[in-house]
């Protein structure tokens, strides 16, 4: 039963459903970080199972919780994560280059240029990525 995807019950009802299943003898709960409502927080179902087990009065040591890793709900989730990663890398590159620009300006500006020359500070190089590294990787589900 989908307890954390589209059309899901509220949290209290979902926990009650898990408690009823456990009380009826169910001892295997299957979950994954990818079970969540589109646009909602990830790992919703795993947190829900944890909350249900924390509040259940039965023998928790008898319950087997299965989860999956590296599983994407769909191509759009994977694509979003790749784009987010590329954005973070681009931000880090820009941050580095901003620092280099400030440093280079500082060692050429009076009076800090005097100290810079005494300690042999030299112009720092800007980060320049290879042209191919700016493109998102190609993902092929074709096997």
């Amino acid at each position: 039963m989908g307890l954390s995807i589209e059309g899901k019950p509220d949290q209290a009802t979902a926990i009650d459903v898990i408690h009823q299943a456990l009380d009826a003898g169910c001892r295997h709960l299957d979950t994954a970080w990818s079970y969540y409502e589109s646009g909602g927080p990830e790992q919703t179902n795993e947190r829900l199972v944890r909350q249900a087990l924390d509040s259940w009065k039965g023998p928790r040591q008898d319950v087997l919780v299965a989860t999956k890793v590296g599983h994407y709900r769909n191509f759009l989730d994977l694509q979003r994560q790749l784009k987010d990663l590329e954005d973070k890398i681009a931000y880090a590159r820009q941050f580095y280059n901003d620092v280099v620009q400030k440093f280079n300006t500082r060692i050429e500006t009076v009076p800090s240029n005097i100290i810079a020359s005494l300690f042999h500070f030299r112009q720092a190089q800007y980060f320049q990525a290879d042209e191919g590294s700016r493109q998102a990787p190609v993902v092929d589900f074709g096997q």
Side-chain angles (χ1 to χ4, degrees):
M1 174 179 188
L3 298 176
S4 61
I5 56 175
E6 283 77 359
K8 67 179 174 86
D10 62 75
Q11 183 175 350
T13 302
I15 289 174
D16 187 52
V17 167
I18 294 172
H19 284 173
Q20 288 178 30
L22 293 167
D23 290 340
C26 175
R27 294 296 182 261
H28 180 214
L29 300 175
D30 180 64
T31 185
W33 76 265
S34 61
Y35 297 165
Y36 61 92
E37 190 172 11
S38 292
E42 295 174 357
Q43 299 177 323
T44 302
N45 203 65
E46 289 180 332
R47 283 192 285 272
L48 186 66
V49 167
R50 186 194 71 227
Q51 291 169 347
L53 287 173
D54 285 347
S55 61
W56 186 53
K57 303 295 185 225
R60 286 182 284 182
Q61 70 276 6
D62 294 346
V63 179
L64 172 67
V65 178
T67 189
K68 284 131 326 257
V69 295
H71 173 74
Y72 298 99
R73 281 180 48 180
N74 56 42
F75 179 74
L76 293 177
D77 282 344
L78 176 59
Q79 189 176 27
R80 176 183 51 82
Q81 289 184 3
L82 289 173
K83 183 188 177 313
D84 289 348
L85 181 59
E86 286 295 320
D87 289 347
K88 289 175 184 175
I89 291 170
Y91 175 80
R93 288 175 180 159
Q94 184 61 50
F95 180 81
Y96 174 82
N97 284 338
D98 289 346
V99 171
V100 166
Q101 180 183 21
K102 289 176 185 175
F103 174 79
N104 289 344
T105 301
R106 184 74 137 201
I107 65 172
E108 293 178 355
T109 307
V110 175
S112 56
N113 64 337
I114 298 167
I115 303 294
S117 67
L118 287 173
F119 288 99
H120 306 288
F121 290 165
R122 302 287 175 246
Q123 293 276 321
Q125 297 297 313
Y126 289 101
F127 178 83
Q128 295 198 0
D130 297 333
E131 191 56 40
S133 68
R134 294 182 181 268
Q135 296 178 10
V138 175
V139 179
D140 180 14
F141 290 108
Q143 300 276 347

